[in-house]
């Protein structure tokens, strides 16, 4: 006769043992669900972005400039010699007259100091990308944090950050940068940091704060608060991630502002940079070649067109992303 083991005996009146929950497996499944949702959102957003002609053209333009930035160190290591093609110390010994017009060895000619213009153009592209992306990241980090904190707490904290933003907006940014560059020695990193701080505490913070206010009243925010979530967790886990699409949009606009500001300050000779598009135009202006009309076009047009095209590309990319972030703005088929 088989007798039940002690573990299998049912105790009269005792409640059944609750089933065990595998927390590790549950978290893994939750992570999988979030990943699938993020991929679906990216695919739908990418479709809207690519369908826009503006977005496609801007993306192609940005990729072309990125390839230009990557090509310079490769050319310097394989094809070009530093004595001739270094953007700062190089000199075209094969040319008898400086600035020399475009030729087979120098497709965009040389500047008044005998330096290859194409090498300068490609070398400066990488600096512009570093400046723009660094300034954009600093702006987004500060503005997203400030907007979320101001919207969540309100009161004096909100009033302080919004009045600070109003003050920064009221100041002319280029004039302020000119004054600061005269007081301090600005290089590429400090300029990017300064532009990022001004943008992060300025108008971008106001826009993201208004978006955070609409997120603050969502039911899941109240549920997280009732469940005992800390203020830090509610802000940085529930509010900030929902601000990131709009933050990405304003990253594009910040890149445009940073490139334009650098070009102006470099043209005025107020930055400590090795080479940039603004310095190229400054060199042509210092030699009096801007008054020569189209005779010395290679001294001005390549750098000026690059500034215009790259700024326009990031701006138009932001406009295309606006249709992704705000679906109501996307065009509908008739």
């Amino acid at each position: 006769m088989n007798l039940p083991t002690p573990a299998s005996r049912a105790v009269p009146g005792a409640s059944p043992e609750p089933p065990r929950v595998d927390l590790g497996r549950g978290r893994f499944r939750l992570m999988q669900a979030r990943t699938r949702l993020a991929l679906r959102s990216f695919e739908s957003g990418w479709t809207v972005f690519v369908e826009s002609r503006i977005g496609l053209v801007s993306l192609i333009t940005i990729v072309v400039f990125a390839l230009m930035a990557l090509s310079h160190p490769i050319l310097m290591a394989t094809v070009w010699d530093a004595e001739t093609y270094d953007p700062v110390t190089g000199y075209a010994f094969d040319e008898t007259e400086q600035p020399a017009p475009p030729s087979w060895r120098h497709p965009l000619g040389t500047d008044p100091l005998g330096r290859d213009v194409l090498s300068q153009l490609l070398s400066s592209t990488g600096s512009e990308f570093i400046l723009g992306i660094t300034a954009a990241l600093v702006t987004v980090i500060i503005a997203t944090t400030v907007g979320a904190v101001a919207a969540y707490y309100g009161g004096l904290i909100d009033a302080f950050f919004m009045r600070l933003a109003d003050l920064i907006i009221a100041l002319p940014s280029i004039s302020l940068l000119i004054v600061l560059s005269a007081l301090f020695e600005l290089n590429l990193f400090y300029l990017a940091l300064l532009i990022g701080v001004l943008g992060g505490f300025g108008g971008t913070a106001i826009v993201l704060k208004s978006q955070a206010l609409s997120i603050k009243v969502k039911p899941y925010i109240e549920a997280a608060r009732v469940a005992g979530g800390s203020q830090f967790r509610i802000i940085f886990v529930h509010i900030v991630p929902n601000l990131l699409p709009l933050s990405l949009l304003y990253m594009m606009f910040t890149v445009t502002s940073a490139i334009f500001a650098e070009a102006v300050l470099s043209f005025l000779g107020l930055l400590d940079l090795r080479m940039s598009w603004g310095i190229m135009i400054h060199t042509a202006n210092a030699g009096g070649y801007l008054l020569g009309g189209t005779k010395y076009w290679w001294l001005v047009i390549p750098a000026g067109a690059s500034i215009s095209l790259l700024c326009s590309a990031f701006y138009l990319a932001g406009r295309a992303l606006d249709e992704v972030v705000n679906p109501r703005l996307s065009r509908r088929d008739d």
Side-chain angles (χ1 to χ4, degrees):
M1 180 176 181
N2 296 327
L3 297 176
T5 60
S8 63
R9 294 174 182 174
V11 180
S15 59
E17 184 180 354
R20 296 181 180 179
V21 179
D22 191 349
L23 296 179
R25 182 176 299 178
R27 290 175 181 175
F28 179 72
R29 290 178 178 177
L30 179 60
M31 185 180 301
Q32 281 185 323
R34 289 180 175 178
T35 303
R36 286 194 296 267
L37 181 60
L39 289 176
R40 290 176 184 174
S41 300
F42 175 79
E43 289 176 359
S44 61
W46 175 255
T47 302
V48 175
F49 183 85
V50 173
E51 287 179 352
S52 172
R53 293 182 180 178
I54 293 178
L56 190 59
V57 172
S58 63
L59 182 61
I60 292 174
T61 305
I62 293 173
V63 170
V64 169
F65 276 99
L67 293 177
M68 290 171 56
L70 295 175
S71 66
H72 185 263
I74 296 176
L75 290 173
M76 291 298 298
T78 57
V79 180
W80 291 344
D81 61 280
E83 293 183 357
T84 304
Y85 291 97
D86 186 276
V88 178
T89 61
Y91 187 85
F93 294 98
D94 55 323
E95 299 290 345
T96 58
E97 182 181 358
Q98 306 294 350
S103 61
W104 176 253
R105 293 198 61 185
H106 306 283
L108 291 180
T110 61
D111 70 351
L113 301 178
R115 301 174 298 187
D116 185 80
V117 174
L118 179 60
S119 178
Q120 293 178 334
L121 190 73
L122 299 179
S123 174
S124 303
T125 307
S127 301
E128 302 297 338
F129 269 101
I130 294 173
L131 169 69
I133 293 175
T134 304
L137 289 176
V138 174
T139 296
V140 165
I141 292 173
I142 295 176
T144 305
T145 304
V146 168
V149 169
Y152 184 82
Y153 288 104
L156 292 177
I157 296 178
D158 181 22
F160 170 77
F161 283 120
M162 293 304 101
R163 299 296 77 77
L164 178 61
D166 292 338
L167 178 62
I168 293 177
I169 293 174
L171 296 174
S173 57
I174 293 296
S175 301
L176 180 60
L177 290 174
I178 291 175
V179 172
L180 292 176
S181 62
L183 297 176
F184 307 99
E185 184 176 353
L186 293 181
N187 55 21
L188 196 68
F189 174 75
Y190 290 126
L191 177 63
L193 187 63
L194 184 58
I195 294 174
V197 170
L198 292 177
F201 285 104
T204 307
I206 296 177
V207 176
L208 294 180
K209 179 243 179 178
S210 64
Q211 180 70 12
L213 286 174
S214 64
I215 298 173
K216 178 184 175 182
V217 298
K218 297 292 184 180
Y220 60 85
I221 299 296
E222 184 63 27
R225 187 182 294 110
V226 172
S230 63
Q231 296 177 347
F232 181 88
R233 180 176 178 82
I234 293 174
I235 293 174
F236 291 97
V237 175
H238 298 287
I239 296 180
V240 168
N242 289 281
L243 294 177
L244 293 182
L246 192 61
S247 301
L248 179 62
L249 169 62
Y250 278 88
M251 276 185 66
M252 299 298 176
F253 298 143
T254 304
V255 173
T256 299
S257 302
I259 294 174
F260 175 75
E262 183 277 325
V264 173
L265 295 177
S266 295
F267 177 76
L268 297 176
L270 299 176
L271 293 181
D272 182 18
L273 300 180
R274 192 169 187 265
M275 181 54 62
S276 71
W277 293 334
I279 292 177
M280 294 172 64
I281 301 177
H282 170 75
T283 302
N285 179 64
Y289 294 97
L290 290 183
L291 302 178
T294 59
K295 183 178 180 181
Y296 299 99
W297 61 267
W298 64 89
L299 299 179
V300 180
I301 291 181
S306 297
I307 295 171
S308 301
L309 287 175
L310 191 56
C311 288
S312 301
F314 276 104
Y315 177 79
L316 294 177
R319 291 292 302 272
L321 282 175
D322 200 7
E323 296 182 359
V324 178
V325 176
N326 301 314
R328 291 176 296 179
L329 298 179
S330 60
R331 295 177 295 180
R332 296 181 175 87
D333 295 334
D334 293 336

